[in-house]
């Protein structure tokens, strides 16, 4: 691949709309297009969060080179044959759930936490809307802290917990993700009011949030770094996942699995499975095993 040369500027892609790439070059945000040669020589699709090299051609800025990625949050594309990068170069994922309205989607939280762990990305849990209700003991949310997952309790409405969350975001590239309606955009508006992101309402009939974020986008964070608001992910299929490595996304299942009779036990119906025994003994929540098995089915079908 031909480099943009020593005079090429380097910037980070903040959003993509209609074939126009909005790139932060540390001084300002410029609009750029893709150089034809880049399309021909690099099979990767330029995505939000990517570092790119820019050159000016006349009055137009062009992306001439895509730099190496790290920490990409990815999923299968529509055809399931290609990786779809949601956000590239991610430092951490904030998995946002709400105490109520909508009720916590534990399967999605498990999925997002596992995806982050398997991608080598730090993750923490944000329990939002604490102004509406206090988390009940035994509701499942406290179990994440017991598993070593950092948990912050916040309210975009009352401001509770926002100082701690602001400190956690400073200087990092953070993806806020979770089901629709949990308040991701509201939290970002509370932390960075000038963003003025659109906020949706909860459907009374279905108890679910309406999608307000339609595409991934990065926003500069005042204390350094960037924050990304991603679409409500009702279904996230993991890209390039080795089924044998999946237990690594579930710390308690991985630990219990060391006691299984067979080294390649998948914890379904195999004899002397220590993981299923731990579930029966109440040491592992049945929901966590269900989350693992759902992802295992997807990983096996995707190969």
């Amino acid at each position: 691949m031909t480099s943009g040369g020593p005079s090429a500027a380097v910037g980070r892609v903040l959003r993509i709309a209609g074939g126009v790439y909005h790139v932060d070059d540390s001084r300002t945000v410029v609009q750029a297009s893709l150089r034809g040669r880049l399309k021909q020589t690099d099979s990767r699709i330029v995505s939000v969060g990517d570092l790119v090299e820019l050159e000016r051609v006349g009055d137009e800025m062009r992306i001439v080179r895509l730099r190496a990625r790290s920490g990409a949050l990815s999923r299968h594309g529509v055809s399931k044959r290609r990786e779809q990068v949601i956000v590239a170069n991610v430092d951490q994922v904030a998995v946002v759930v709400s105490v109520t309205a909508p009720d916590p989607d534990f399967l999605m939280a498990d999925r997002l936490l596992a995806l982050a762990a398997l991608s080598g990305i730090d993750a923490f849990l944000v329990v939002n809307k604490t102004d509406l209700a206090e988390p009940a003991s035994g509701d499942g949310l406290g179990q994440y802290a017991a598993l070593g997952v950092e948990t912050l309790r916040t309210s975009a409405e009352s401001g509770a917990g926002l100082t701690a969350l602001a400190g956690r975001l400073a200087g990092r590239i953070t993806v806020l993700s979770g089901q629709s309606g949990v308040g991701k955009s509201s939290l970002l508006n509370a932390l960075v009011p000038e963003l003025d992101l659109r906020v949706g309402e909860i459907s009374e009939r279905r108890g679910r949030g309406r999608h307000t974020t339609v595409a991934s986008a990065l926003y500069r964070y005042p204390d350094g770094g960037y924050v990304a608001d991603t679409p409500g992910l009702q279904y996230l299929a993991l890209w390039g996942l080795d089924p044998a490595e999946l237990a690594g996304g579930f710390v308690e299942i991985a630990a219990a699995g060391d006691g299984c009779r067979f080294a390649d036990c998948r914890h379904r119906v195999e004899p002397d499975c220590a993981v299923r025994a731990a579930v029966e003994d109440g040491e592992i929540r049945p929901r966590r095993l269900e989350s693992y098995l759902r992802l295992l089915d997807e990983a096996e079908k995707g190969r």
Side-chain angles (χ1 to χ4, degrees), residues 3-301:
S3 171
S7 62
V10 178
R12 189 177 301 279
V13 178
L14 300 185
R15 62 185 183 276
I16 305 167
V20 177
Y21 297 76
H22 299 255
V23 183
D24 181 5
D25 68 359
S26 78
R27 294 168 299 179
T28 186
V29 176
V30 300
Q31 296 185 11
S33 61
L34 280 184
R35 181 178 177 181
R37 183 174 297 177
L38 177 62
K39 297 179 184 178
Q40 297 170 4
T41 59
D42 197 327
S43 61
R44 296 172 298 171
I45 298 175
V46 177
S47 304
V48 168
D50 271 325
L51 283 173
V52 296
E53 293 185 6
L54 301 163
E55 280 188 349
R56 180 172 293 280
V57 180
D59 294 331
E60 181 183 2
M61 294 297 291
R62 292 184 183 176
I63 296 173
V64 296
R65 187 170 185 261
L66 173 59
R67 292 197 167 183
R69 290 175 178 147
S70 64
L73 185 62
S74 303
R75 64 182 176 187
H76 285 295
V78 175
S79 67
K80 295 189 177 181
R81 297 178 181 177
R82 190 166 191 170
E83 178 185 19
Q84 179 185 357
V85 176
I86 302 170
V87 182
N89 301 309
V90 177
D91 293 319
Q92 59 185 4
V93 176
V95 179
V96 185
V97 299
S98 55
V99 178
T100 186
D103 292 334
D105 186 336
F106 294 111
L107 293 177
M108 179 173 285
D110 289 343
R111 179 184 293 267
L112 291 169
L113 290 169
L115 171 60
L118 293 165
S119 300
I121 301 172
D122 289 339
F124 60 100
L125 189 72
V126 178
V127 181
N128 195 33
K129 300 189 180 182
T130 55
D131 58 296
L132 297 182
E134 282 297 322
S137 60
D139 64 357
L141 291 172
Q143 295 299 310
Y144 290 110
L147 293 172
V149 178
E150 179 184 358
T151 303
L152 303 179
R153 300 187 182 277
T154 63
S155 169
E157 185 68 24
S158 71
L162 293 186
T163 299
L165 178 58
R168 194 66 170 77
L169 301 182
R172 301 178 176 94
I173 297 179
T174 308
V175 169
L176 277 72
S177 198
Q179 70 192 107
S180 298
V182 295
K184 301 184 296 294
S185 297
S186 295
L187 285 170
L188 288 178
N189 283 339
L191 293 171
V192 192
E194 58 267 28
L195 291 181
D196 194 24
L197 300 175
R198 182 185 173 195
V199 177
E201 299 177 350
I202 301 298
S203 165
E204 293 184 2
R205 180 174 66 86
R206 302 178 66 187
R208 298 178 182 175
R210 298 188 177 96
H211 297 281
T212 54
T213 304
V214 296
S216 298
L218 277 184
Y219 303 97
R220 287 175 173 171
Y221 191 65
D223 294 327
Y226 300 85
V227 289
D229 187 16
T230 60
L233 301 176
Q234 299 301 325
Y235 180 82
L236 183 61
L238 308 186
W239 167 260
L241 179 62
D242 184 349
E245 298 178 355
L246 178 59
F250 297 82
V251 61
E252 76 278 37
I253 292 177
D258 290 339
C260 291
R261 177 179 175 185
F262 300 106
D264 61 349
C265 182
R266 296 293 170 86
H267 318 311
R268 286 192 179 106
V269 297
E270 297 88 345
D272 299 325
C273 173
V275 171
R276 293 205 314 278
V279 172
E280 293 173 3
D281 292 342
E283 298 171 3
I284 295 178
R285 288 200 167 215
R287 169 184 57 76
R288 290 282 288 173
L289 180 57
E290 178 187 357
S291 294
Y292 162 81
L293 292 175
R294 285 193 182 189
L295 284 174
L296 180 62
D297 286 341
E298 292 175 18
E300 291 175 340
K301 292 175 182 177

